[in-house]
Amino acid sequence: AAAAGAATITWIGSWVTVLRRRRRDGRDWAQELDRHDDDLSAARSLAAAAERRRHPGVGDVIRAAAAAGEVPAGAEGVAPGLWEQRTLHAAVGVGGRHWTPAGSCEDGRRGELADEVCTRIDAHAVVSDVGAVVELARGKAVALTGRHRRSIARSVVTQLAWRSGPSDWRLLVITDEPQRWRWVESLPHLAGLLDGAPTAARVVDEVESVIGASASVERGPLPVTVVDQRHDGSLDMETLRRLRAEGAVLFVGDDAPAWVDEVVHVADSGRLDLQGPSEATMLDAVAVGISEQTALGVARVLARFVDPETDHGAAVPRACGFVATHCDPVTGAPFDPRDVESLRDCLLYTS
């Protein structure tokens, strides 16, 4: 009887020990999940911040232009973001974007990880308030449709004009409502504002004048043509294809033509319907546009600046840039290792 009692006591003690260990392990597991959740939240916040820095919205342009407009012309460091980018991309709105953290369940590891871990990861699969971005490049056409299409078009052109200089792209506007586009006449990027129903030959001549003017430059400005017409009958398909082949086209109209690559439709509620590369990644995006008066204000500030890489500027030689004169093109190291400023800038330019 004594032996049986001792065995019972030993069993109870072992059971209590196991129960305590399980409870401790459960607490540790819950704490690990919470720490993992905090790490995911921090990583998502960093990803969202990086995305906003990479694709700032038109609000950033307006604030930068307002600050630059309050200082004397020629002052340095007063136009953040001005003509810093070579590629042409602009935000047409804001919304959520799918985000997949490193080591997520989407990497084929769902069977290896506990369901609770995957549930936590899936809960962080969207970054919020980031730009819905469209990119313009040679051979690409984007259509803006819907009631607020011109507001978005003004936003796109304004962003492009602030972030990329006249040496990178030139603007041609074809419209049967020229009064809506008078504000672009202050932009240093403007190559032509064609109103009414211009002939195909005139349009081609304007585009070729942009291309021809850069014939001696290794990388000339990209012609960007805005077509804002109720009826595009004055431009036959051959001319439209040529505009697209030799540059980029931003079509603004009630309906998107079949020859465009991407469609941005703005509903009356302001919601964006994206049909193209951004369609699969954006969630619940809303449009962000600007008025003619706001666009004119930014354009007038831009009119004060001269792109040093164009014929009107002489600050930077066309044949070379900072990297060519200070940085080794292969290693990215400065030609003079003792030059601390060059070392810093070389790392920035080659990163």
Side-chain angles (χ1 to χ4, degrees), residues 13-76:
S14 299
W15 181 81
V16 170
T17 300
V18 171
L19 182 61
R20 287 175 176 172
R21 183 181 300 116
R22 287 180 176 176
R23 288 178 177 174
R24 185 175 62 250
D25 291 344
R27 287 195 299 269
D28 292 344
W29 173 247
Q31 290 173 357
E32 285 295 329
L33 284 176
D34 289 341
R35 280 194 290 269
H36 186 247
D37 206 47
D38 292 340
D39 291 343
L40 283 173
S41 296
R44 184 177 62 175
S45 297
L46 290 174
E51 184 71 14
R52 295 185 194 109
R53 285 194 301 271
R54 186 162 53 248
H55 300 299
V58 69
D60 297 279
V61 170
I62 294 170
R63 286 187 288 272
E70 295 176 355
V71 299
E76 296 182 357

Side-chain angles (χ1 to χ4, degrees), residues 177-198:
E177 296 187 72
Q179 70 279 4
R180 294 181 177 271
W181 288 94
R182 293 298 179 196
W183 64 272
V184 301
E185 293 178 337
S186 297
L187 289 177
H189 305 68
L190 185 64
L193 175 60
L194 308 184
D195 55 0

